[in-house]
Amino acid sequence: MSINKKDLERRMEGAVTSLQSDLAGLRTGRASPNLLDTVNVPAYGSTVPLNQVGSVSVLDARTLAVNIWDKSVVGAADKAIRESGLGLNPVTDGTTLRIPIPVLNEERRAELSKIAGKYAEQARVAVRNVRRDGMDQLKKAEKDNEISKDEAHGLSDDVQKMTDTYIARIDEIVKAKEAEIMQV
């Protein structure tokens, strides 16, 4: 049976990708279209992501613009952004919503930094769980005499190296995000 290293790597990569998308939603002082990824708008009888009712673009370093395609959805999109918990107040101009990104105060920066740390810890735990699954597969294969002790030892070293690599990537990603958050 042996272990499927590609599958373990795919699952660890999934943890990193998930972390990156979580961090993209954290508001820094700069305008980013990803900031509104979590906003859902009640439209057409259901709730849809904002990017399905309009296009999100960056006007300048501190302003986002959302061009709503259907005039009847403008009010709902405005309300959804205000109530999203991101602390944003759109200005409506016809079918365009201009969203100024307020400057973060020191307290909010520290809070966002802690949230980024929590996301990182969740990703590390996910990677370690994948490692544990791989190690369990190795022990089972060795116990069932499918692989020798030497093969099991070599493969467990490979799994550990893979884990260390992904943990280091997570640390780098979060360090960069925290630096971005703390940047005034």
Side-chain angles (χ1 to χ4, degrees):
M1 179 206 90
S2 190
I3 65 164
N4 183 346
K5 280 201 255 182
K6 287 273 186 234
D7 181 55
L8 294 179
E9 197 164 355
R10 181 188 56 75
R11 289 170 56 199
M12 287 183 186
E13 188 62 46
V16 171
T17 304
S18 174
L19 170 68
Q20 288 171 324
S21 69
D22 287 345
L23 291 178
L26 277 186
R27 182 163 73 87
T28 60
R30 287 201 309 263
S32 162
N34 296 345
L35 187 58
L36 300 175
D37 285 352
T38 59
V39 177
N40 290 311
V41 181
Y44 314 118
S46 67
T47 305
V48 295
L50 182 65
N51 62 11
Q52 288 184 12
V53 296
S55 59
V56 181
S57 58
V58 177
L59 289 181
D60 59 53
R62 296 221 179 269
T63 312
L64 285 174
V66 181
N67 293 316
I68 305 294
W69 300 315
D70 182 353
K71 197 171 184 130
S72 67
V73 183
V74 174
D78 181 292
K79 185 177 179 191
I81 293 168
R82 286 181 197 278
E83 294 175 352
S84 66
L86 294 170
L88 302 174
N89 293 310
V91 177
T92 306
D93 178 19
T95 58
T96 301
L97 298 176
R98 276 197 313 277
I99 307 163
I101 307 295
V103 178
L104 296 173
N105 61 21
E106 198 58 40
E107 190 178 301
R108 182 71 176 138
R109 288 177 195 281
E111 199 178 301
L112 287 173
S113 194
K114 279 183 186 172
I115 292 170
K118 284 180 185 169
Y119 286 156
E121 190 52 36
Q122 289 171 350
R124 285 188 207 102
V125 167
V127 167
R128 289 183 192 123
N129 286 341
V130 173
R131 175 194 172 276
R132 189 192 63 228
D133 291 348
M135 294 302 204
D136 289 348
Q137 289 173 12
L138 277 175
K139 286 178 187 161
K140 186 178 181 329
E142 184 185 344
K143 191 178 133 207
D144 297 344
N145 293 325
E146 292 174 15
I147 58 173
S148 70
K149 256 189 171 25
D150 290 343
E151 284 176 311
H153 186 71
L155 287 170
S156 72
D157 285 350
D158 291 349
V159 170
Q160 185 59 50
K161 283 178 189 155
M162 196 186 316
T163 303
D164 294 343
T165 303
Y166 278 96
I167 296 282
R169 269 185 64 196
I170 289 168
D171 292 342
E172 284 171 29
I173 291 167
V174 169
K175 190 175 178 185
K177 187 65 175 188
E178 286 177 343
E180 188 182 329
I181 289 169
M182 291 311 205
Q183 190 177 36
V184 178

